[in-house]
Amino acid sequence: MDADGGKRKHSFRQQPNKRAKAEDGSALKSGFGAKMLAKMGYKGEGGLGKEGAGISEPIQVVNRGTKGGIGAVAEKSEQQKREERRKAEENGDKYVDTSEEEREERRQKKKAKARGEARTGPPRPKKTLFELEAAGMHVPPALQSIIDATTGASTPTSGVSLRGSDIVPFENSLQARVRRDLNSFSEAFEQLQIESQSIPPQEYALQKELEALERQMHELEDLQARIESLRTGTFDVVCEGLKSLRAAYPSKPLHRESIAVIHPHFSKAIASWEPLEHALETFAAAFSEMADIMQPRSRRIVSQAYTHPSEALVSRSIADGEDTIKRGTTSSYESMMLKLWLPAISSAVTQWDVKNPRPMVHLLDVWKPLLPPFIAKRVLEQVSRKLSTSIHEWNPRKFKKSPHTWVMEWLPFLRPADLDPKGSGLVAEIKRKIRHALQSIDLSKGPLPGMEQWRRLFGKGEFDHLLTSHLVPRLSAHLRDNFEINPAEQDLAPLEAVFAWKGLISDEVIGELLKAQFFPKFLEIVHQWLSSEEVVFEEVQTWLAWWRNDILQEDINNLPSVASGWNEAYSLINQALDLGDARLTDLPAPQMETAEASPETPQFAKSISKEPQRPAPQVEEATFKDVVEEFCAEENLLLIPLREAHDQTGLPLFRITASATGRGGAVAYLKGDVLWVQNKKDKSVWEPTGLDEALTAKAEGK
């Protein structure tokens, strides 16, 4: 504080450096920075850096105004200019001061502007009053002469140019106003002349438009009168009237008007319609004939060959002048079919017996060319769901009627996904059912009904794979266990059970079955017969001929695998004849020759001769879980994985329940071919349970 007790005041104004520095920087060569540079090897000459390419002078400080901020000084300092000049000289370039050039350019522009050298375009030529009057412009008398108020003399303006070098200098504001008025009148007159040239074409166009509107008004009046006359007629009268209306107006859209007069008749027919009894063929035929009247061109169904709606049922095209329908909306025809036709069909599908497909197929055959795609899709989805339910409920072991009797007629209507036997649609479900049936049917009853139709549906390759994987091993085991050779009383039933599948399985497969299971037993009996003392060779030959000619057919006998068996049998007879009585002890045992298979002959002998068959990796084999799932499906039960494991075995747990919510029922796990179910009273106890009514009762909570 000061001596007088006040606070000391400090001034923060920028003070000039008391030690004046020379302009050339000589005073800076002995400071602290110079000493540091000297220690680093700088000798005081040239630029900084190892190569001397840096600055050679200290950075110059430039004073700003007291209120100027950073960047207020835009020009370079003298030190920066000297540094740039030095570097330019070292590089052999010429230094150019850009700030000086810019200032010089601005000075030159300013001088040119002061001399009036600004460039302007040539003035637009103007007409005199005389020329304007000759062109037809009426000039008011007040503008025909200019009165000089100073002298009282009148100067005519007829020859005065409105703009140019011969302009008469006006000396007061009145004269200037007159001149401006003449100028504006001249420009307005010229503009009117230009506009007058376009009046006749406009008048002609308006006249044509008026005539078109009058014709359209007359057409609408005539159309209204005809439509009103059709409202009280019968359906046949309405159809004939609409056809004559189309003949009178071939290019006019009539879809709204036609639906307006047809709707009452169609609504009345739908009210008492039984779709499964009759298909309203009269209305369908009339709608087909009047398709170009009832449907707008942008929504017209042009394809008569049926394809599924998901495969582009219709082809749409917008014609010129057509009253188009916005996307996302329905036309009058589509609205009528949606509100009248679709509810009746949906109700009929609900009541329809799926095992009697003819009425519903006939109904869709009649209406399929007339259905909008979204309506056809909804109907077919409803039919497909009902077909899927019927296939799911079909049990080949209980129901004698095969699904082919009600599914085959729907094949043209099904989606491609439903027809794929390897997918998850309708045909794949049928394939799964047939696969389980082949594993459990009684072979003595012959093939399942409809197998020929399923082969055409699945395809030969897929069908052959199905039979080879699930039927052929069972036929082989059936021959092995049930067929015996008995010359005295031969039972052919097991062999006939195999031949019943002829045509479904290839002859080569049957030949391999005979080679694996028939001929070993047959040749053993022949060997025993020939080794006995009471043998009569004629009887043996007769017996062989009976087997070969009467039992096995010629196409089977010609197979290499079967021919080798017959060759071995006749070889035994020849050997027995050659040995004579020594045949009793020396006749060799029969040996089947291995026939070389042709490229088209599959090798089944190894897989047939051994039972049980070792499954190949690509062959589908039914597991015990599949059997449980099939049982649950037949009993309307749910098999739900619980994402838990059994404490002791670590096997996954399932819940078998009859509730649609997935609750209740019984908890079980699968171990081998046994189903273990948890005891409800003591949950630590697991009991083996069969696939019978007891399991169904537990699943239902009884």
Side-chain angles (χ1 to χ4, degrees), residues 22 120 189 212 227 265 356 422 437 463 521 549 569 595 621 646 653 699:
T120 58
F189 179 72
I227 293 295
H265 300 277
N356 183 20
K422 296 183 179 180
F463 187 78
K521 297 180 179 181
N549 300 329
E621 290 291 342
H646 186 247
L653 297 179

Side-chain angles (χ1 to χ4, degrees), residues 209-500:
E209 184 178 356
L210 179 60
E211 293 175 358
L213 290 175
E214 290 178 351
R215 287 195 303 270
Q216 185 177 2
M217 183 179 66
H218 293 318
E219 289 179 359
L220 291 176
E221 290 176 352
D222 179 60
L223 185 63
Q224 181 181 7
R226 292 193 180 193
I227 293 295
E228 290 296 333
S229 65
L230 295 177
R231 290 185 181 275
T232 57
T234 62
F235 181 70
D236 295 335
V237 173
V238 169
C239 294
E240 294 299 326
L242 290 176
K243 293 177 183 178
S244 62
L245 201 60
R246 169 54 71 199
Y249 302 100
S251 60
K252 189 174 184 61
L254 300 173
H255 54 93
R256 292 188 177 92
E257 294 79 1
S258 60
I259 296 300
V261 294
I262 288 176
H263 188 280
H265 300 277
F266 192 52
S267 177
K268 184 178 179 180
I270 290 291
S272 58
W273 184 31
E274 294 294 338
L276 297 178
E277 296 181 3
H278 59 92
L280 286 182
E281 290 86 351
T282 303
F283 280 87
F287 288 0
S288 179
E289 293 178 2
M290 297 187 297
D292 61 332
I293 305 175
M294 300 174 60
Q295 302 175 23
R297 293 183 185 178
S298 58
R299 299 291 180 91
R300 193 166 300 163
I301 303 172
V302 298
S303 176
Q304 298 298 325
Y306 183 80
T307 54
H308 195 272
S310 62
E311 301 294 327
L313 173 65
V314 295
S315 173
R316 304 187 186 279
S317 60
I318 299 178
D320 295 337
E322 177 66 27
D323 188 9
T324 58
I325 308 298
K326 292 183 179 180
R327 185 175 182 180
T329 60
T330 57
S331 64
S332 301
Y333 175 78
E334 292 172 342
S335 298
M336 181 181 70
M337 298 296 290
L338 179 64
K339 295 180 180 179
L340 298 181
W341 188 88
L342 182 60
I345 297 301
S346 298
S347 177
V349 172
T350 304
Q351 302 172 4
W352 162 59
D353 181 9
V354 71
K355 297 180 181 179
N356 183 20
R358 191 64 250 166
M360 188 59 65
V361 171
H362 173 67
L363 179 65
L364 291 183
D365 279 337
V366 171
W367 285 94
K368 67 184 179 184
L370 306 171
L371 295 180
F374 68 95
I375 294 179
K377 184 177 181 180
R378 290 174 61 174
V379 173
L380 292 178
E381 286 177 351
Q382 189 176 1
V383 171
S384 180
R385 287 194 297 269
K386 196 150 188 177
L387 290 174
S388 299
T389 303
S390 68
I391 296 300
H392 184 72
E393 295 175 351
W394 173 58
N395 187 343
R397 292 174 293 183
K398 295 182 180 180
F399 300 103
K400 295 182 179 180
K401 193 172 184 180
S402 175
H404 77 278
T405 57
W406 69 81
V407 171
M408 289 299 177
E409 294 192 54
W410 289 106
L411 295 183
F413 299 91
L414 296 179
R415 299 175 303 168
D418 289 330
L419 299 176
D420 185 8
K422 296 183 179 180
S424 58
L426 188 66
V427 174
E429 178 67 15
I430 295 174
K431 177 187 171 184
R432 188 184 70 85
K433 288 281 187 176
I434 293 177
R435 182 187 66 192
H436 290 299
L438 293 176
Q439 296 170 348
S440 58
I441 60 172
D442 186 0
L443 295 177
S444 62
K445 296 181 179 180
L448 292 171
M451 293 299 290
E452 187 64 34
Q453 288 81 357
W454 297 134
R455 180 169 66 175
R456 292 197 299 268
L457 178 59
F458 297 159
K460 187 177 184 304
E462 191 69 24
F463 187 78
D464 290 346
H465 176 72
L466 183 67
L467 296 184
T468 303
S469 302
H470 304 285
L471 176 66
V472 173
R474 293 198 64 212
L475 292 176
S476 177
H478 184 67
L479 283 178
R480 182 197 62 194
D481 299 336
N482 301 317
F483 179 69
E484 296 294 339
I485 300 294
N486 186 358
E489 187 178 356
Q490 183 64 54
D491 181 14
L492 297 176
L495 194 61
E496 291 174 350
V498 175
F499 288 154

